[in-house]
Amino acid sequence: MKLTVNLGKNSYPIYIENNILSQAASYIADVFSGKRIMIISDDQVFPLYGEKLIAGLSDSYECHHVVLPHGEATKDFQTLPGVYSAMLNAKISRSDLVIALGGGVIGDLAGFAASSYLRGVKLVQIPTSLLAQVDSSVGGKVAVDLPQGKNLVGAFYQPALVLIDPLVLNTLEERFISDGMGEVIKYGCIKDAQLFHTLESHSSFDDLKEELPAIIQRCVDIKRVVVEHDQFDTGERMLLNFGHTLGHTIEQHFNYGRESHGEAVSIGMYQLTLLAEAQGLTASGTADRIRKVLDIYGLPHACNLPLRDLTAAIALDKKNLNNKLNIILLHDIGSSYIHPATIEFFNQYDQNI
C-alpha cells in the first residue's frame, strides 16, 4: 500500500507493507543517491532490527549508527550534542542520509537532528512502534524536550520517505501496543466515526489484530490529508492535538516516568470531553463512549491529579498563543472542532482528573 503526502517539493511516499523492512534498500534508492547513511535507533529496537537493516543497505552504502537509551528521557535537548558528534565523526555531509529507526522518541529526536545538522540532511522514517506508525512518523513535526515542557524545541521537517512494516509490532511489549492505541482512538474521535465504531466492536487488541494493517492505513491517510491542508499547524492540523494539551502536562508532571504518551493522551481525551460536556460544548454521552473504548484497549482514563496542578504547564504550552488556548473538542464522535479559550477553561474546576 502506497500513500503520497502531496506538499509540492516536500512531497513524499509512505509505504505500508508486511516485511518491507527487509526490502528497505530498494525503496531508499528511489529517494537517495548519496554515499553515507547514519541510522539513529535505541537499545531496544536496534538489537532486533538494526543489523537486519544494515545488512540490506551495506552493499550500496557506507552505514553508521548511533544507539541511544530507550524512553522519553532520551528525547532531551542534552542528547543532541552526542548525536551531532557521531554524525561529524562519521563525516555525514549534506548529501548524506539519516534514518530514524524506532518509535516516536527516536523519530522526533533523529528528525530534529537531521533538520538542524548542517541546516538539513535528508531523512527517512522507519517507525517501529504502533504510535509512531499511525501518527508521529508522518507529517514532519520533529522536536526535543526541555525541562519546562515537551517538544518546546523543534521544527517542521518532512521526511523523504516513510516505511511502515506492521510485522515489527509483534515484538512490542503489550504496554506499547496500548500506547499506540491511544492515538488510533484519537483518529476515530476527531475524524472517523466508523473507525471508532470498529474499535468499539472488538473485545481486545488481539481481537482487533487481523484488521491492524487497514487501521494503520486509515490513520495515516487521515493524517496525510490533514497535513496536506495545513502543513505548519495553524488551522485544521490542530485537530490532531485532541487530548494532547492535558496529556503533555500529565507526562511532564511525572517527568515522563509514569504515563506513556498514549496513556497520557487517553486521559486527556476523556477528561477534556467530560469538562466540555459539563459546559454544553460536546454531546452528552461522548465521554462515556471514549471511556469504554479506552477500557477495551487497556488504557487509563484518570491519573488522580488536581487539575489546578497542571494549569501552569498548560500556560507554557506551544498552543497557548497570546494567552489564548486553542482547545480541541468534539461535537460528537468523529466530529471535532477548535474551541478558542483561555486558561480559565481549566481553572474554573477544582477537582482531580
Side-chain angles (χ1 to χ4, degrees), residues 171-243:
T171 57
L172 273 188
E173 292 176 37
E174 190 174 328
R175 183 183 182 190
F176 294 106
I177 291 292
S178 297
D179 181 54
M181 286 304 297
E183 292 284 357
V184 174
I185 292 164
K186 176 196 80 175
Y187 281 109
C189 285
I190 64 169
K191 282 283 186 181
D192 194 334
Q194 183 56 50
L195 171 61
F196 193 91
H197 177 69
T198 299
L199 301 175
E200 281 181 314
S201 65
H202 289 76
S203 60
S204 66
F205 180 77
D206 281 343
D207 185 38
L208 181 75
K209 213 168 185 180
E210 209 170 277
E211 298 188 47
L212 196 57
I215 285 168
I216 293 170
Q217 179 197 331
R218 181 65 191 125
C219 293
V220 169
D221 205 33
I222 292 170
K223 185 159 190 181
R224 175 189 68 81
V225 171
V226 169
V227 169
E228 286 176 356
H229 291 164
D230 180 17
Q231 184 178 353
F232 298 110
D233 204 11
T234 56
E236 183 186 0
R237 187 167 179 172
M238 291 185 195
L239 299 176
L240 299 173
N241 293 322
F242 177 55

Side-chain angles (χ1 to χ4, degrees), residues 33-350:
S33 56
K35 177 184 173 188
R36 295 186 186 90
I37 294 177
M38 174 60 77
I39 298 165
I40 301 176
S41 190
D42 70 33
D43 56 11
Q44 286 187 332
V45 173
F46 191 82
L48 291 168
Y49 303 113
E51 295 300 340
K52 180 180 179 181
L53 179 61
I54 289 170
L57 293 170
S58 56
D59 284 348
S60 306
Y61 307 104
E62 179 188 313
C63 293
H64 304 266
H65 62 274
V66 177
V67 179
L68 301 170
H70 65 277
E72 184 72 34
T74 286
K75 204 179 101 177
D76 184 280
F77 190 80
Q78 302 305 323
T79 303
L80 288 169
V83 174
Y84 294 140
S85 289
M87 292 167 78
L88 286 165
N89 291 339
K91 297 183 170 56
I92 299 297
S93 72
R94 289 187 71 181
S95 60
D96 293 323
L97 175 70
V98 169
I99 296 178
L101 176 69
V105 166
I106 290 297
D108 279 9
L109 183 138
F112 183 72
S115 77
S116 50
Y117 177 80
L118 303 180
R119 297 199 178 99
V121 178
K122 189 169 280 195
L123 171 69
V124 167
Q125 291 275 8
I126 305 181
T128 60
S129 71
L130 180 57
L131 187 148
Q133 291 189 353
V134 299
D135 190 72
S136 60
S137 66
V138 175
K141 275 190 180 180
V142 296
V144 291
D145 303 335
L146 294 180
Q148 295 92 332
K150 184 162 171 152
N151 297 334
L152 290 178
V153 178
F156 291 97
Y157 194 69
Q158 301 297 339
L161 169 70
V162 182
L163 297 177
I164 296 175
D165 188 341
L167 290 184
V168 303
L169 302 180
N170 291 334
T171 57
L172 273 188
E173 292 176 37
E174 190 174 328
R175 183 183 182 190
F176 294 106
I177 291 292
S178 297
D179 181 54
M181 286 304 297
E183 292 284 357
V184 174
I185 292 164
K186 176 196 80 175
Y187 281 109
C189 285
I190 64 169
K191 282 283 186 181
D192 194 334
Q194 183 56 50
L195 171 61
F196 193 91
H197 177 69
T198 299
L199 301 175
E200 281 181 314
S201 65
H202 289 76
S203 60
S204 66
F205 180 77
D206 281 343
D207 185 38
L208 181 75
K209 213 168 185 180
E210 209 170 277
E211 298 188 47
L212 196 57
I215 285 168
I216 293 170
Q217 179 197 331
R218 181 65 191 125
C219 293
V220 169
D221 205 33
I222 292 170
K223 185 159 190 181
R224 175 189 68 81
V225 171
V226 169
V227 169
E228 286 176 356
H229 291 164
D230 180 17
Q231 184 178 353
F232 298 110
D233 204 11
T234 56
E236 183 186 0
R237 187 167 179 172
M238 291 185 195
L239 299 176
L240 299 173
N241 293 322
F242 177 55
H244 286 59
T245 298
L246 273 178
H248 281 173
T249 58
I250 292 166
E251 287 181 88
Q252 184 196 346
H253 185 86
F254 294 107
N255 294 313
Y256 309 105
R258 201 176 89 166
E259 276 80 10
S260 68
H261 178 69
E263 290 166 346
V265 167
S266 297
I267 296 166
M269 291 189 293
Y270 173 70
Q271 295 291 342
L272 185 68
T273 304
L274 273 184
L275 298 180
E277 281 188 32
Q279 296 178 52
L281 297 168
T282 294
S284 181
T286 305
D288 191 52
R289 284 185 72 189
I290 293 172
R291 178 171 175 168
K292 285 174 179 171
V293 85
L294 293 176
D295 287 345
I296 291 170
Y297 298 101
L299 284 158
H301 61 269
C303 62
N304 202 31
L305 268 182
L307 183 57
R308 287 181 179 273
D309 284 3
L310 300 174
T311 53
I314 291 171
L316 277 175
D317 194 281
K318 300 182 303 303
K319 294 172 280 296
N320 187 7
L321 304 170
N322 300 321
N323 294 317
K324 300 287 186 196
L325 272 173
N326 286 311
I327 300 171
I328 309 309
L329 302 179
L330 305 181
H331 293 296
D332 203 345
I333 296 296
S335 175
S336 54
Y337 67 103
I338 300 167
H339 177 68
T342 66
I343 204 72
E344 280 308 306
F345 180 93
F346 299 100
N347 278 344
Q348 63 185 295
Y349 296 97
D350 187 13

